[in-house]
Amino acid sequence: MSQPLPISERSPGEHVMNTYARLPLRIVRGEGAWLFDESGEAYLDALTGIGVCSLGHAHPDLAAAIADQAGTLLHAANITHLPLQEALADRLADLSGLDQTFFCNSGAEAMECAFKLARLHGHAKGIDEPQVIVVTGSFHGRTMACLSATDSAKVQAGFEPLMTGFLRVPFDDAAQVARLAESRDDIAGILLEPIQGEGGVVVPQAGYLAELRRICDQQDWLLMADEVQTGVAKTGEWFACQHEGILPDVMTLAKALGNGVPIGACMARRRVAELFKPGKHGSTYGGNPLACRAGLTVLDVMEKDGILERTRALGERLRGALRVGLDGVSLVREVRGRGLMVGVELDRPCGELVMKALDHRMIMNVTRENTIRLLPPLIASEAEIDRVAETVVALVRSV
Ligand SMILES: *Cc1c(COP(=O)(O)O)cnc(C)c1O
């Protein structure tokens, strides 16, 4: 091992693996919709840690619940019954209509659980090598199975061999799925994001999910919704599938469920969930009392504050202000989204706007190279939402 440098000679972060292109910001504190750097400078957070902090930062109810839980019980193994885990599973069943939940610690882990259920379902149908249909523009996480299901050469490059068992079709094209149903008999299910996040905040046509639901019912395939980014109120419904009135067989959650306390969840209909037997899946931390207390508190606060109505109204306000402010700007292709998951697609790459936004004291990001993605906290004030819109309008008009 090379000798560690004395602290005085180290450059900040040199002992952290270099896996992220980081902004030149050193964030130490948050409050509501705002983040603060080491020098006390405030930044409006229009990204919420990539769709995580829907209740904003340092929410007093969540801070109190976490502190109380830390003084009561952080963790006990899943070899015992954990009442907080059962309580959160009950709440998620009530909100989603899906019967049972497996708890884990991240979106990628929730996806791994979904992939394992799909394989069990396929084998139960007598398929030797069950395939899962995935779509173009998808993002499902960074583990080996997740990156294999993801449609991104950048995410996959260097990690070959990829995991097999995925068939890719174009997003928002149910006819291609129907064609596969006619030509193959080794398919166990379909996986997609009901609104694509990393893929550029892409909302499919009305009726697409319902048509997939119909095909899955007919073929006995699992319809699996990755709601890691869309889930837990962000789009103005608890889950984005609910906009289309459909119930998937499997649904994954993470990001906003814990508001920053790591938690993931894979929910399923009873018939599918019961493919797991004791010993088939597990996670040391998964569903521990701290994470479940955080999840329960997030849902409590959201219900108490009428967050769905609020999110719908703020989303309309944000998209409306963006459309008015960007009217006639020829490089704007589309302002789209649902609730407070909003994308502004330009006709050219615009990654440099992320740095420029910092000059306006706002944090946002750009996906698919040409789409500004806004995920402001659902607790933002109308004035804060207006400021997000004004900043984006000024940035785009400066291009
Ligand atoms: C973020 C994300 C994931 C991965 O979640 P992690 O917690 O980063 O593992 C999976 N799917 C979607 C749609 C996501 O947005």
Side-chain angles (χ1 to χ4, degrees), residues 50 105-111 138-143 146 150 193 195-198 226-230 252 254-255 263 341 373:
I50 315 192
N105 315 286
S106 69
E109 277 179 81
M111 295 310 309
S138 65
F139 179 82
H140 299 295
R142 301 286 193 153
T143 61
C146 288
T150 291
E193 301 152 81
I195 298 173
Q196 293 189 325
E198 304 306 303
D226 177 350
E227 295 235 20
V228 169
Q229 190 161 146
T230 49
T252 53
K255 295 197 165 104
I263 184 168
M341 182 172 182
R373 175 175 47 175

Side-chain angles (χ1 to χ4, degrees), residues 35 43 59 63 72 124 162 170 210 229 254-255 257 269 284 300 303 306 327 340 346 359 361 363 365 375 385 387:
L35 287 170
Y43 294 83
H59 191 287
T72 306
L162 301 182
Q229 190 161 146
K255 295 197 165 104
L257 182 57
R269 288 184 177 184
T284 298
D300 281 345
E303 277 183 349
D327 186 40
L340 284 175
L346 306 188
D359 298 334
R361 301 291 180 262
I363 297 174
N365 88 340
L375 298 168
I385 290 297
R387 182 167 167 150

Side-chain angles (χ1 to χ4, degrees), residues 321-344:
L322 289 167
R323 288 196 179 113
V324 169
L326 294 171
D327 186 40
V329 180
S330 64
L331 55 98
V332 176
R333 280 210 188 122
E334 192 179 24
V335 175
R336 61 180 174 243
R338 275 201 161 125
L340 284 175
M341 182 172 182
V342 173
V344 180

